[in-house]
Amino acid sequence: MQSMGADSRGIIVPGGFGLRGTEGMIAAAKWAREQKVPYLGICLGFQIAVIEWARNVCGLEGELQCLRGFLQANNSGAHSAELMPDAPHKVICFMPEISKTHMGGTMRLGLRPTLFEPKTEQSKLRRLYGSKEVAWERHRHRYEVEPKYVEELESKGNLRFIGKDERGERMQMLELDGTPLDQRIPELII
């Protein structure tokens, strides 16, 4: 990873679906965090950053196995309910109001507000949004950070969920203090 990313000024992990390639994405998120390289996670990329943090900083680790030439996580650590339904630490969960049986048009869709948390005025991400109190983003997803893990995720190291939905229940933006331009958001419109 280091030789591939040595000249990188940042890493973008976009949205997507399915398990294939996610262990590589998790490795990229870990490398970016450890090397203090800016990381932008969009949708699945945001979830990958949370999984990486849960495993490698919070200690909710899993073991990897090689299957058909690809690294795959077994069910012994932090993961997403979408990608690894039997994982004991599903730090990414299915949104409760979304239908699991009717897939057409059941995502959380459209322009939604993200409210910045108090004391985030110096956040790099908030400044990118013009230092406003609310950022409007387009959403298209069915999964979110599992609320029961938020306190544990924020208690280790310098991760902070700086942007939440209008009810304060959904984690929509996070930032690592001291990491240049390190923001991980579900969707970004420019």
Side-chain angles (χ1 to χ4, degrees):
M1 182 77 209
Q2 188 166 355
S3 63
M4 268 183 21
D7 296 332
S8 297
R9 293 179 30 198
I11 294 175
I12 297 174
V13 178
F17 297 92
L19 185 61
R20 185 173 178 188
T22 56
E23 291 305 322
M25 294 176 204
I26 292 167
K30 180 180 184 204
W31 182 84
R33 178 180 54 78
E34 290 176 343
Q35 300 302 313
K36 298 192 181 310
V37 171
Y39 175 101
L40 174 64
I42 302 170
C43 195
L44 178 61
F46 173 84
Q47 297 170 14
I48 291 293
V50 171
I51 294 166
E52 187 280 319
W53 185 267
R55 284 184 186 179
N56 297 306
V57 177
C58 297
L60 304 175
E61 299 177 26
E63 296 177 13
L64 297 177
Q65 59 189 10
C66 191
L67 181 64
R68 294 187 209 132
F70 296 100
L71 282 178
Q72 299 290 324
N74 68 19
N75 295 334
S76 65
H79 222 298
S80 164
E82 175 188 19
L83 306 173
M84 195 67 62
D86 297 329
H89 301 289
K90 291 182 266 306
V91 295
I92 305 298
C93 68
F94 199 80
M95 292 180 173
E97 73 275 17
I98 306 294
S99 172
K100 290 184 180 183
T101 57
H102 298 91
M103 290 307 201
T106 60
M107 293 182 160
R108 184 169 189 251
L109 297 170
L111 194 62
R112 309 251 181 186
T114 297
L115 284 66
F116 285 101
E117 289 291 284
K119 300 180 183 176
T120 59
E121 292 78 13
Q122 298 305 311
S123 156
K124 290 178 176 87
L125 182 55
R126 185 169 177 177
R127 288 186 299 192
L128 286 173
Y129 278 95
S131 299
K132 297 179 181 175
E133 292 182 11
V134 177
W136 289 88
E137 300 175 346
R138 186 182 68 81
H139 289 256
R140 184 181 179 271
H141 50 265
R142 290 185 183 97
Y143 292 85
E144 66 178 331
V145 176
E146 170 61 67
K148 72 180 183 182
Y149 283 101
V150 170
E151 187 175 328
E152 182 174 2
L153 293 166
E154 286 188 319
S155 73
K156 308 281 196 237
N158 57 354
L159 178 143
R160 181 167 180 210
F161 291 102
I162 64 165
K164 298 180 182 177
D165 72 348
E166 62 275 15
R167 294 181 305 196
E169 296 172 357
R170 292 213 164 86
M171 307 303 113
Q172 298 186 165
M173 297 183 185
L174 71 81
E175 189 168 271
L176 298 179
D177 295 334
T179 302
L181 293 178
D182 186 16
Q183 61 273 350
R184 300 145 192 227
I185 58 178
E187 294 287 342
L188 174 67
I189 294 180
I190 298 177

